[in-house]
Amino acid sequence: MDMKSNHGAPVLTDPAPINKSRLGIPSNLLPYSPTGAAFSPSLHLTIPRKKPGKLDDVRASGWLDAMKASSPPRKKLTKDFNFEVVSDDTDVAYRIWTLKYPSALTSFEQITNYAKEKRIVLFLDYDGTLSPIVDDPECAFMSDSMRSAVRNVVKYFPTAIISGRSRDKVCEFVGLTELYYAGSHGMDIMGPVRHSVSDDHPNSIRSTDEQGKEVNLFQPASEFLPMIDEVFRSLVEITKGIKGAKVENNKFCASVHYRNVDEKVIVASWATVAQCVHDIIKDYPRLRLTHGRKVLEVRPVIKWDKGKAVEFLLESLALSNCGDVLPIYVGDDRTDEDAFKVLREGNRGYGILVSSVPKESKAFYSLRDPSEVMEFLKSLVRWKESSAL
Ligand SMILES: [Mg+2]
């Protein structure tokens, strides 16, 4: 596939070699191998995340700009006229930006033209994509109408929700079955049991969910689970004399909370907590310590992101080697760029960036906000239903 400009919109077309030569890199260096060797979790876990350098420098120096860009000026309400006037500059900048990242709604026909004879697989971010961004992350609820739109789209397309949040939390927010939930940036994936090849895939573990319903679990870092559990039990033991310390087993991360440990009590200070954690994990070179808000977190030393989650899910669902599969990923933030990059550079499918302000992205298309995401999902359903007639 290759990108071609057509009325300002990117279109995926065959054949692949054109794009590879344009990228100036041999096909075997592309991040995705179309030859599809048998899946090996270790293969994926050892892929370097990305070379340090230019991109990170750009990100570092661009943070302030990105923050400003994420806070566009409010719409003005004129005194004399009782209607809203959108800031001209903002509007013009956005419209210019959509020449590069056309709206997935206005370009819908191009997308579906390409998707003819193909099987669309949908990947959806949660926060800011299916739900509005809110001050309290515990209150990032999706609307009933969005839930209904997702429920309908799942009837026609394999769909996964990929979030940085824990899988349980995303499941709770969405509250739908028959789709894949990928929590912890895809390290913890749960999906419905289907009578297909995926049920027998070596990455799939049959389990039951909270309601006792059979599900498939896909956990690329599952080899770490016994280690995390062992460390969890050691941490419980070593901190049991520290008043206020609480150890939590988050499956892919053991967390030591010290919010309730009195900092002034010398024998049970935060430093003691830190020393205890250090004493345990020094014997585990494959684990590392990260700092959260009044919590120490012990997690696997693996490089994992949403791009790898997309690859892993396609592999696990036995869809990675199918030429007739078109992955579409919809997301709104920096962590979604890894997935956009995998789709773009692997010539696999479309990334759709959800943004109301201009941003550089690896996505092909854009949508302004979650309400447009909902409209896009509804359009997909209508298209599928009408094409089935
Ligand atoms: Mg998001």
Side-chain angles (χ1 to χ4, degrees), residues 1 14 114 117-119 319-326:
M1 293 186 295
D14 291 315
Y114 186 75
E117 314 296 323
K118 293 192 187 308
R119 189 177 181 198
L319 295 172
S320 62
N321 301 324
C322 306
D324 63 345
V325 168
L326 178 67

Side-chain angles (χ1 to χ4, degrees), residues 125 127-129 332-333 336:
D125 169 49
D127 291 273
T129 298
D332 76 312
D333 73 30
D336 299 309

